[in-house]
Amino acid sequence: DIFLGFETKNIFMKTERLMMSIRLIDGEYPPYRKVIPAPGDNKVIITKQDLVRALRRIAVFASDLNKGIAINVRPGEMEFSGSHPDLGEARDAIPVEYDGEEFDIFANVFYLLEALHVFDAEHVSLEFHLGGGPIILRPEPPENYFNLVMPMRK
């Protein structure tokens, strides 16, 4: 059973194990579109399953401190590398659709995996903003949703 209650600016929900309230906030909603970046400088298209498998393999070697991995993108290939003080180093590369300039980026491997988890598409695109901007992950072909993952500093 679910019990609902309503007030002018509140909704209450109660079950046997849970109680929740929602409050309507007065005012303007923040201009969230200003936070969403324009399409990335460099777009990579990749098979989601290949990407998830490579990230899981390299995640074992991500540092316990920050879970960061290095990503090198070059025409036709994306390479991942991780370094763990107790386990050593690892590299893994997978084929991608990309024909731009080579670049490197550093990111939390688990944030990337979590972002990919919600996509049902066979292929995904990763848009990279060089100079510290977010990585935008989208299903391919694009739909009405995407995920942002902020890169890390080494």
Side-chain angles (χ1 to χ4, degrees):
D1 291 335
I2 299 174
F3 299 95
L4 296 174
F6 300 93
E7 290 181 349
T8 304
K9 294 185 179 187
N10 297 297
I11 299 175
F12 303 94
M13 181 184 80
K14 183 179 178 185
T15 67
E16 187 177 309
R17 297 181 5 220
L18 173 76
M19 184 171 169
M20 180 173 70
S21 67
I22 301 171
R23 180 175 175 86
L24 178 64
I25 299 174
D26 285 333
E28 295 278 327
Y29 195 77
Y32 67 93
R33 292 197 188 277
K34 288 183 179 180
V35 178
I36 299 171
D41 304 324
N42 298 286
K43 182 176 179 179
V44 174
I45 298 176
I46 188 167
T47 304
K48 177 190 166 191
Q49 189 173 29
D50 290 347
L51 179 57
V52 168
R53 286 178 179 164
L55 290 172
R56 285 184 181 156
R57 286 190 298 266
I58 209 71
V60 173
F61 292 90
S63 167
D64 289 335
L65 178 63
N66 60 19
K67 306 297 184 198
I69 60 167
I71 303 169
N72 174 264
V73 181
R74 54 187 171 263
E77 186 176 72
M78 183 181 284
E79 182 181 77
F80 309 95
S81 59
S83 177
H84 191 281
D86 297 329
L87 302 174
E89 296 181 3
R91 292 190 185 283
D92 196 354
I94 54 177
V96 298
E97 291 180 35
Y98 177 71
D99 60 2
E101 295 292 319
E102 182 174 347
F103 66 93
D104 295 301
I105 199 161
F106 197 69
N108 182 309
V109 66
F110 295 104
Y111 291 169
L112 292 169
L113 284 167
E114 188 68 27
L116 290 165
H117 179 73
V118 298
F119 295 147
D120 290 329
E122 183 177 343
H123 291 87
V124 295
S125 67
L126 286 80
E127 297 172 14
F128 295 91
H129 290 80
L130 303 181
I135 303 166
I136 301 174
L137 297 95
R138 299 180 196 270
E140 213 31 67
E143 295 184 26
N144 289 331
Y145 61 93
F146 59 90
N147 282 326
L148 296 176
V149 174
M150 291 303 294
M152 302 169 61
R153 291 190 181 111
K154 281 190 177 184

